[in-house]
Amino acid sequence: MTIAEGVQLVAFALLTFMIIGSAIGVVLLENIVYSGFLLGGVLVSMAGMYLLLNADFVAAAQLLVYVGAVNVLIIYAIMLVNKRESFPPLTRGWIRPVSTAAVSLGLFALLATTILSTPWTISSAPVAVNSAVTIGKHFFSDFLLPFELASVLLLIAMVGAIIIARRDFIPEQKPAAGETDVYTLPERPRELVGSAAESTPTQE
């Protein structure tokens, strides 16, 4: 075993330990803020795995998309919820963790069976020096149409998110006569921060 192979083996073992430990923490910790940060640790460790496989573009995409966007969005959502009350205990609450553990063990057994039954072959082809350039060429040649469709879909989602965030652009629809609004959720009254501060009496 060469020094490079030894370093790769140690890095693989360290990343595996980080992935498994962080994943267990995500599931078992009761504080969902800590679970959100540990989920980021899992995603970062997965990016390290991609680097060990010489997939530098996938590792960069993992960090930018999943860690920089998805995980940060999850943590923001957790903090914006601002839950101050604990959930009331459920009757037969033990069914949920038991069923979750059974499903997880079934998925693990299925994946392990698939891995052990697959005839893996080790390729001797040289690894691409710059995978980002190769993927970019495929994007703009072989997969140009799916790439453009995905960009249009993301643009539509971004415009929809902006419209939903700026609800003052949406005309308020009041229920007609004879109709009830029982299927609509009550919203918090929208107030500007400045007007709310002015309406609050100051203590002198």
Side-chain angles (χ1 to χ4, degrees), residues 74-125:
I74 290 174
I75 293 175
Y76 267 107
I78 291 172
M79 292 183 176
L80 287 176
V81 168
N82 194 19
K83 184 177 74 66
R84 296 179 182 276
E85 297 179 0
S86 58
F87 293 106
L90 299 174
T91 57
R92 298 181 180 179
W94 56 272
I95 297 178
R96 296 171 62 182
V98 171
S99 58
T100 303
V103 172
S104 300
L105 288 176
L107 289 176
F108 178 77
L110 179 63
L111 291 175
T113 305
T114 304
I115 291 172
L116 294 176
S117 62
T118 302
W120 300 99
T121 57
I122 300 176
S123 176
S124 60

Side-chain angles (χ1 to χ4, degrees), residues 195-204:
S195 60
E198 292 175 359
S199 61
T200 305
T202 57
Q203 296 180 357
E204 296 180 353

Side-chain angles (χ1 to χ4, degrees), residues 93-174:
W94 56 272
I95 297 178
R96 296 171 62 182
V98 171
S99 58
T100 303
V103 172
S104 300
L105 288 176
L107 289 176
F108 178 77
L110 179 63
L111 291 175
T113 305
T114 304
I115 291 172
L116 294 176
S117 62
T118 302
W120 300 99
T121 57
I122 300 176
S123 176
S124 60
V127 180
V129 177
N130 195 344
S131 60
V133 176
T134 306
I135 292 174
K137 289 180 179 177
H138 284 291
F139 270 156
F140 288 98
S141 59
D142 302 332
F143 302 98
L144 179 60
L145 181 59
F147 179 71
E148 292 298 332
L149 289 177
S151 63
V152 172
L153 181 63
L154 291 176
L155 179 62
I156 293 173
M158 186 175 63
V159 173
I162 293 173
I163 293 177
I164 291 175
R166 298 293 303 272
R167 292 192 175 186
D168 34 341
F169 291 148
I170 303 175
E172 186 176 359
Q173 296 180 355
K174 296 182 179 179

